[in-house]
Amino acid sequence: GNIPVLSEAASYSGFFNMEPDSDGVLRWLNSMLKFNGNLYANLSLQTLSAYWGRPIMARVADHGVTSLMIGDYRIPTDEIGRIMVNYRGGPKTFPHISATDILQGNASAADLQDKIVIVGATAVGIYDLRVTPFAAVFPGVEVHANLIDMVLSGDFLFYPAWVAYIDVLAILILGGILGFLITRVRVTTGAACGILMAVGYVYLTYYFLTHSGIVFNIVYPVSVLLLVYVIVS
C-alpha cells in the first residue's frame, strides 16, 4: 500500500500493477486483484468510482468473472477480470502538465478545472514506462488515462472466449476453400483467390473491430492462406 500519510489523506486507493502479454506489450489491465482473501480494484476504476460517486461491484462465479459494474455502468472483462485497453494513440495523446508548473503557478486553472487529473511520473529514470501497441516507450500513468477515457466514452474492445473458436473455424474454412480451389485452377488464378480471401478476411475483422469492438485474430488465418498456397502449389 501507500505510505501512511498518503493512505490517510485519500478517500480511495487502487493498485497500479500492470502485466504485459508474453511479447512484452501491454494490452490488458487487471480490473481487480485478490489479496488476503479480499478483492481490490485498480487505480483507473477507483478514479471512475470517485468521479461518479458510485461503488464498484464485481460478480465472480466458479468459471471466473461474470460482470463488473460501477453503479449501473457495466464494464466488459474477460473471465479473469482483465480489461482490454482501447488506446487513443501514442504518448501525450492526453495533455501533460508539469507538477513544477502547477506548484509555481504557471499552469492555467482552465487546464485543470472540472477535469479528471492523474498524477504520475513520466521521466525515463523513474522506469514507469511501458510497451504498448502504439509506442515502445509509453508512460504507465497514461495507460490509466486511456482506460478511463475508454470507459467514459463507452468505446470498449471485446475479446470474449468464443472468439477463439471463430479463429479456429476461420483457419479451417479459409485454408480448406483455398486448398480446394488452387488444385483446380491455374497458378495465377489461385494466387488471386488467395489474395482476395486474405483481403476480405482482414476487412471483415476490421469491420467488427470498428463497429462492434470485437477483436479477431488476423495473423493465423492469413498465415494459413499463405502456407496452403505455397505447399499445394
Side-chain angles (χ1 to χ4, degrees):
N2 287 315
I3 59 176
V5 66
L6 293 179
S7 297
E8 293 167 3
S11 300
Y12 297 80
S13 63
F15 68 86
F16 51 89
N17 305 55
M18 297 183 182
E19 298 180 12
D21 290 340
S22 58
D23 60 355
V25 179
L26 185 68
R27 300 181 179 90
W28 303 79
L29 281 184
N30 290 313
S31 63
M32 64 194 83
L33 289 177
K34 190 174 184 179
F35 179 71
N36 285 344
N38 297 314
L39 289 176
Y40 295 89
N42 74 15
L43 179 64
S44 311
L45 299 183
Q46 289 286 41
T47 301
L48 289 165
S49 178
Y51 177 72
W52 281 326
R54 304 285 183 87
I56 302 172
M57 296 176 290
R59 294 183 179 178
V60 183
D62 291 337
H63 64 276
V65 178
T66 58
S67 67
L68 178 66
M69 310 282 292
I70 300 181
D72 297 328
Y73 200 88
R74 184 183 180 91
I75 300 173
T77 71
D78 66 0
E79 287 77 7
I80 60 175
R82 299 183 305 169
I83 303 172
M84 181 174 280
V85 183
N86 190 355
Y87 287 96
R88 277 36 188 138
K92 295 191 176 181
T93 297
F94 297 91
H96 286 213
I97 302 173
S98 171
T100 302
D101 290 339
I102 295 175
L103 294 173
Q104 294 180 353
N106 297 326
S108 171
D111 293 335
L112 302 174
Q113 187 174 3
D114 299 326
K115 303 290 197 306
I116 293 178
V117 179
I118 306 176
V119 182
T122 59
V124 174
I126 303 297
Y127 294 108
D128 186 25
L129 298 174
R130 312 289 172 172
V131 179
T132 71
F134 280 86
V137 180
F138 195 96
V141 65
E142 199 169 348
V143 175
H144 292 287
N146 277 270
L147 190 143
I148 290 171
D149 185 71
M150 178 190 76
V151 174
L152 289 174
S153 63
D155 188 16
F156 296 107
L157 293 179
F158 303 90
Y159 192 76
W162 54 263
V163 167
Y165 299 103
I166 300 298
D167 293 337
V168 173
L169 283 175
I171 290 171
L172 295 176
I173 292 173
L174 292 176
I177 292 174
L178 183 62
F180 176 80
L181 287 175
I182 59 179
T183 57
R184 289 162 174 78
V185 297
R186 301 177 66 178
V187 174
T188 52
T189 305
C193 290
I195 292 172
L196 287 174
M197 291 175 65
V199 171
Y201 181 76
V202 170
Y203 176 79
L204 186 64
T205 57
Y206 177 77
Y207 175 84
F208 278 104
L209 177 66
T210 54
H211 288 75
S212 304
I214 301 176
V215 179
F216 290 98
N217 193 299
I218 295 178
V219 175
Y220 293 142
V222 173
S223 298
V224 164
L225 289 174
L226 178 61
L227 286 174
V228 168
Y229 175 77
V230 171
I231 292 171
V232 176
S233 295

